[in-house]
């Protein structure tokens, strides 16, 4: 893996750690998440960063796969360009269900380096 691609992997890994911290701030509770605007916005921003990092990673290492890349990049575009249609329930489901899967994939990619 090229050094620059590794940088994006490390960025994603760092952001996933932040998302886990944000979940703890709201006691891993959706209702608390909905009430905490700062946590919501920070979560959305971190999902944007993940989408952008995956986009850049794939431009450097197109043969190394991350499942759901297109959906992750699409989410980044939605948050950045259609912020008024971001649904709290969808974001919460993503951080609960999809981020752990992404975290495992990132660990495997990093270990393969």
């Amino acid at each position: 893996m090229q050094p620059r691609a590794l940088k994006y992997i490390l960025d994603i890994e760092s952001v996933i750690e932040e998302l886990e911290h944000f979940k703890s701030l709201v006691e891993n509770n959706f209702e608390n998440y909905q009430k905490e605007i700062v946590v919501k916005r920070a979560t959305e921003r971190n999902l944007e960063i993940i989408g952008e990092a995956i986009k850049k990673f794939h431009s450097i290492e197109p043969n190394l796969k991350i499942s759901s890349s297109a959906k992750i990049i699409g989410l980044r575009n939605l948050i950045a360009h259609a912020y008024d249609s971001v649904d709290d329930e969808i974001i919460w489901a993503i951080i609960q269900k999809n981020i752990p899967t992404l975290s495992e994939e990132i660990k495997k990619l990093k270990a393969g380096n």
Side-chain angles (χ1 to χ4, degrees), residues 44 48 74-87:
E44 292 167 6
E48 273 185 287
L75 177 64
R76 176 250 177 248
N77 293 336
L78 176 78
I79 293 169
H81 302 294
Y83 64 90
D84 56 339
S85 64
V86 173
D87 184 306

Side-chain angles (χ1 to χ4, degrees), residues 38-102:
V38 173
V39 171
K40 283 175 35 173
R41 295 301 176 254
T43 298
E44 292 167 6
R45 174 66 179 141
N46 278 347
L47 292 172
E48 273 185 287
I49 292 168
I50 289 172
E52 187 67 18
I54 288 174
K55 180 179 168 185
K56 290 180 177 183
F57 172 80
H58 278 304
S59 72
I60 297 167
E61 295 283 356
N63 296 326
L64 295 177
K65 302 297 178 200
I66 297 173
S67 66
S68 303
S69 290
K71 288 182 180 181
I72 295 167
I73 294 167
L75 177 64
R76 176 250 177 248
N77 293 336
L78 176 78
I79 293 169
H81 302 294
Y83 64 90
D84 56 339
S85 64
V86 173
D87 184 306
D88 290 346
E89 289 180 10
I90 292 172
I91 298 297
W92 186 253
I94 288 168
I95 63 172
Q96 293 293 341
K97 297 176 184 172
N98 303 104
I99 293 299
T101 301
L102 178 61

